[in-house]
Each structure stands twice: as C-alpha cells, then as structure tokens.
Amino acid sequence: MIDNRGRAVTAPVVEQPTDWTEPGAHPVAPGVHRIPLALPIPALHAVNVYVIEDAGGVVVVDSGWAMPDTRTSLERALRTLGHGLDDVAQFLVTHAHWDHYSQALALRESFGTRVRIGRGERASIEAFDVRRGLHPRQVEMLRRCGADAIADEIAGTPVERSERDVPHTLPDAWLDDGERVGLTGRGLDVLATPGHTRGHIVLRDADAGLLFAGDHVLPHITPSIGLETEPERKPLRSYLESLRLVRDMPDTLLLPAHGPVTPSVHTRIDQLMEHHAERLDTAAAQVRAGHTTAFEVAAAMPWTRRRRSLGDLDAFSRMLAVLEIEAHLDVLADRGVLDAHDEAGVRRYAARS
C-alpha cells in the first residue's frame, strides 16, 4: 500500500477471531477473506485459503486438503459471501503439498475450475508415485545422513487408503516468477520463493499491501525445508535467499497459510533469519564437539519449544529434524565453516581448520 507521499506502508490488520482456526470467512482486506480449513495433521490444525472477490470471478489462493468435510467447510464459508463452489474461476496455489493443492484438483474434476501453480513444482508433481511410498527420496536422504533406523521406519510406514486417493496431477497452467496475474480489481505479482519446496511461490498485491505467503513465511512456526518428491540439493540456501528477496521489498501484511494474519512480513522474516542463524551456530558447535553426521548432530540438539530429544519425537518429526540439520550443515559447508565428504554412502562433516 502506498501513502499520499509515495511511501510504502503496511495495510492495517482487520480484526480477526482470537482462535485463527475458527470456521468461517473472515475479512482481512477489502474484497479479501480468509477461510481456515481443518487438516488431518494435528500439529498444523488448519490451512488458510484466501478468497479474492473480483468482477472477473472468484479467485482462491490455496485450496485445502481434498476431503469431504473440507469441501463442505469451503462451500459453507463461500455461501456466507454469496458464492458457490462453481463461482470459483481459478485457484492460485503456492505449492504442491496436499493441504494446499489437492482440493483444487478435486474441485476441478467437479466444476472445471482452472488451477495454476508455480512452474518449479513440475518435477515433484510428475515424479510422485504413491506406489513408491510417500517419502522415497527422503528415505534415501536419511541413509546419507547416517539415520538408517529412521529411514527403515519411514520406508515401512504403510500408505493409508485415504492417502492413495488424494489427487496429485498436473495443473492447467503454470505460474512463472515475475509474472503478474491481472485481475479486474488488482494485480498479483508472482515471486518464486524456493526452499519449503523447490517451486514455492508467493503472491504480492503491492497496491493493497498484502502478501499471500503460503508456507514461505509463517507467524508461529518455521516451515520444513525441501519436503517433496524431488527436492533440490541445497534447499536451505534457497530458502534463506528467498527470505532476503521478500525482505528487500516494502513491508506488507502477512497472509500466511498456517496461523493468524499479522501486520508485518519484515518482522517475521527477521525472526526466521535469526532462528536459522542460531541453528547454524549450534550445528557448527556440535560438529566441533565431534559429531560427524546429520543424524548425530540432530540427536545432540533439542527439538520443539519443549526442548525434547530427537528420540522422543515421532518418526515423521525425526525425519524432518534430521533432514533440517543436513540442510544446515550443507550451508555451513558452502560457507567454508565445515568440510564435507562422503564415506560408504554417508555424508560426514568436520570443522575446517
């Protein structure tokens, strides 16, 4: 948003429910509403989808997980705005995780709704094959991290019937970095923000002072890095670069996929950058203390706000923790803080003298 002196200012936060997961269509800016949709992931609670009312048709940013209850919740919330599911002209999706992408594909089957997503997601969408399990590449990466036991547990986790039925096909069209999605009443600038996934994008409405941030910037948690079928080799490096990209732009209101609307993207990015700087320092210290693999470093560090040990986490969380540490160790190697070499299929790190 630009003031009368040509200065960039953030939009004010429209009053929101105390509980951000409260069902309904909550206004966040003129013509924009937030609809939280429940998830089968207790730690995340819900995903926010954003409805943009436009003379050319309703546009929805992200879509929720394809489940009957989620579809009903979205339909009910849209009805309070005077719209039906068949009024949605297009879905603009920030990335290909199921809680953002799959319901858009399901509704396309019912109504022919147009679905667009970042071009960088193509490799993971095309490579996904539920017959290989949900995390085949992560199993390989865990073995490289020296975490064979976790890899075996993840590889042995059966795919539930409900997971087999989740749609995961190609979109109707891609969103490209630098593209401007021109609506009747506003323009949305597409920014490639790889890191959380290689093709993650955010949508920026500069005139209204809004950032539809997906999982790139979340107000209360740090997003996982590179959890996808075809992750890039250095996802944390990309993620930090993507944070700096958005930080260098004028500040906006943060419209996140998980958590409440907050007034400043910049403030949260600064916190995320500080968090990762601290994790990099801690990981380097653990290598100096003699831990040589990502698994060993992760096992020596506390996790979650409760500072739990790695062994106290569930298998999925242990996988995320170990792979997060590998990403941090690789950044340290890129920066010349650590040396890295592969030994019998396991990557080992040492402090550079």
Side-chain angles (χ1 to χ4, degrees):
M1 179 179 295
I2 306 299
D3 67 12
N4 56 13
R5 296 185 181 181
R7 298 172 302 186
V9 294
T10 58
V13 179
V14 176
E15 185 175 355
Q16 298 288 302
T18 302
D19 178 1
W20 71 270
T21 67
E22 181 179 317
H26 309 292
V28 296
V32 181
H33 290 77
R34 179 181 65 86
I35 298 176
L37 299 174
L39 292 174
I41 307 172
L44 290 179
H45 305 295
V47 60
N48 292 319
V49 305
Y50 293 92
V51 176
I52 302 172
E53 296 182 282
D54 189 76
V58 174
V59 176
V60 179
V61 177
D62 288 333
S63 69
W65 193 302
M67 301 182 296
D69 288 349
T70 306
R71 176 173 173 148
T72 299
S73 296
L74 178 59
E75 184 175 28
R76 183 180 297 121
L78 283 171
R79 194 179 301 126
T80 66
L81 301 175
H83 304 297
L85 291 174
D86 56 343
D87 291 321
V88 178
Q90 62 176 321
F91 285 98
L92 305 176
V93 182
T94 59
H95 61 294
H97 284 166
W98 288 352
D99 55 327
H100 297 256
Y101 188 42
S102 63
Q103 184 157 244
L105 299 176
L107 293 175
R108 179 178 67 181
E109 293 177 6
S110 298
F111 303 106
T113 314
R114 192 168 191 242
V115 178
R116 303 183 69 192
I117 196 170
R119 187 178 295 275
E121 296 293 73
R122 182 166 194 159
S124 286
I125 293 172
E126 291 184 330
F128 180 76
D129 183 347
V130 73
R131 294 171 297 182
R132 299 171 57 208
L134 298 182
H135 307 293
R137 284 286 291 119
Q138 283 66 39
V139 169
E140 298 171 9
M141 294 162 67
L142 285 167
R143 299 197 189 286
R144 185 177 66 208
C145 293
D148 280 342
I150 302 174
D152 290 342
E153 193 168 355
I154 295 298
T157 302
V159 180
E160 301 292 336
R161 174 64 181 271
S162 59
E163 295 170 325
R164 293 182 182 276
D165 293 340
V166 173
H168 200 80
T169 52
L170 290 171
D172 297 288
W174 304 104
L175 293 167
D176 290 308
D177 184 37
E179 177 182 349
R180 185 172 178 84
V181 179
L183 306 180
T184 304
R186 70 182 73 231
L188 301 174
D189 293 314
V190 178
L191 304 175
T193 50
H196 179 59
T197 66
R198 66 192 299 173
H200 193 289
I201 59 99
V202 300
L203 298 163
R204 190 170 186 274
D205 183 340
D207 291 337
L210 307 174
L211 183 75
F212 299 90
D215 284 0
H216 181 53
V217 183
L218 300 173
H220 292 158
I221 59 176
T222 57
S224 61
I225 302 297
L227 182 63
E228 54 194 319
T229 309
E230 290 294 329
E232 58 178 304
R233 182 65 191 88
K234 302 289 179 70
L236 182 60
R237 180 177 62 186
S238 294
Y239 181 64
L240 296 175
E241 290 173 353
S242 297
L243 286 178
R244 295 187 191 100
L245 169 73
V246 178
R247 182 61 175 83
D248 287 343
M249 296 179 175
D251 204 2
T252 60
L253 196 69
L254 171 59
L255 306 183
H258 308 285
V261 174
T262 54
S264 172
V265 172
H266 285 182
T267 297
R268 183 54 182 156
I269 288 179
D270 291 344
Q271 294 168 350
L272 289 167
M273 296 290 285
E274 181 179 0
H275 164 80
H276 284 291
E278 291 174 353
R279 295 305 263 182
L280 287 165
D281 288 344
T282 302
Q286 293 296 341
V287 173
R288 295 188 190 102
H291 303 295
T292 65
T293 68
F295 171 71
E296 292 174 357
V297 172
M301 295 173 63
W303 293 94
T304 77
R305 295 178 181 177
R306 299 180 180 179
R307 300 184 67 79
R308 300 167 66 188
S309 68
L310 184 70
D312 289 336
L313 305 179
D314 62 83
F316 182 77
S317 297
R318 279 183 276 134
M319 175 184 73
L320 293 182
V322 171
L323 297 181
E324 176 188 322
I325 290 305
E326 183 193 35
H328 282 80
L329 295 174
D330 284 340
V331 166
L332 290 166
D334 281 350
R335 294 179 178 179
V337 177
L338 302 178
D339 287 318
H341 71 281
D342 292 338
E343 180 180 312
V346 176
R347 177 154 298 177
R348 297 190 178 275
Y349 301 86
R352 183 168 296 184
S353 56

